[in-house]
Amino acid sequence: MGNYQTQGEAQVEGTELLREFNDYKNGKKRLSKADFSKRIKSDCEKQNRSSSLEEEKLNELSPEKDVVEFKDFLKWKISIGSEKSELPKLLAELFNEVDDGDGFLTPEELMKIEKGVSVVISREEAEEIISTWDSNGDGKMDLGDYIEYKTATSRMSLR
């Protein structure tokens, strides 16, 4: 897995993102887009910076939605250019959301995760991606392989 985190480390850090999302929900069952937008403005004002980019990205990611789900939150974090050190955490969360629990992505799971970030790939493309990025030759894509693939190809199209 190179310089990337172990799956356990990524899961712990992914939990931090879930805590951050729950903090935005502020004890409510759901996070409304309006409440999230207010919180973004407030956080940016505290840091003496404009919130226009963050708000614009939020509207681009979910123009038809009134509620922000965790997956939307992760996509938003990626789209606003969160620190590069956060990218593996964000990718790990997406991986874990789609993985059936075996620690590997099947072609179907890879297709699903890509579709979740607005990238449509065929089963054949998913099989080719897994084959290309499989670092140990076992024919499977684990978390490290996935992070390396996404980081290297920058295919995370979030429009």
Side-chain angles (χ1 to χ4, degrees):
M1 282 199 254
N3 293 331
Y4 297 105
Q5 305 161 311
T6 66
Q7 187 167 355
E9 289 170 334
Q11 286 175 335
V12 167
E13 290 184 352
T15 304
E16 291 172 16
L17 290 165
L18 184 57
R19 277 191 218 118
E20 182 180 352
F21 175 69
N22 286 331
D23 183 48
Y24 275 106
K25 288 188 342 186
N26 198 25
K28 297 178 182 175
K29 273 188 157 182
R30 298 186 218 200
L31 176 59
S32 75
K33 193 172 178 180
D35 285 345
F36 189 40
S37 185
K38 286 179 194 173
R39 180 73 183 268
I40 291 169
K41 285 180 188 177
S42 172
D43 289 350
C44 288
E45 285 173 5
K46 289 176 187 174
Q47 298 171 6
N48 290 324
R49 61 184 180 86
S50 171
S51 63
S52 58
L53 172 69
E54 285 94 338
E55 291 182 88
E56 180 182 325
K57 292 297 181 182
L58 176 61
N59 289 323
E60 285 177 15
L61 290 173
S62 55
E64 71 288 344
K65 288 183 161 183
D66 292 330
V67 175
V68 178
E69 297 173 14
F70 185 55
K71 188 183 282 188
D72 301 321
F73 173 74
L74 292 175
K75 288 191 240 180
W76 174 78
K77 290 283 284 187
I78 293 169
S79 74
I80 62 168
S82 292
E83 297 176 30
K84 288 203 180 224
S85 64
E86 272 193 30
L87 186 59
K89 292 187 277 185
L90 298 170
L91 292 172
E93 262 320 299
L94 290 171
F95 180 98
N96 291 326
E97 235 181 71
V98 172
D99 177 39
D100 63 8
D102 65 358
F104 301 101
L105 293 181
T106 63
E108 291 77 17
E109 290 169 333
L110 182 57
M111 291 166 58
K112 184 176 180 181
I113 199 170
E114 290 292 315
K115 185 178 180 184
V117 293
S118 304
V119 176
V120 178
I121 60 172
S122 68
R123 179 176 173 73
E124 293 76 26
E125 289 171 314
E127 289 170 351
E128 184 177 327
I129 290 166
I130 290 171
S131 174
T132 300
W133 292 96
D134 171 22
S135 63
N136 63 3
D138 65 359
K140 300 175 182 177
M141 179 175 267
D142 64 19
L143 177 60
D145 296 337
Y146 176 70
I147 290 172
E148 188 171 338
Y149 153 64
K150 293 306 286 184
T151 303
T153 62
S154 300
R155 290 184 60 155
M156 191 74 64
S157 172
L158 297 170
R159 282 178 248 164

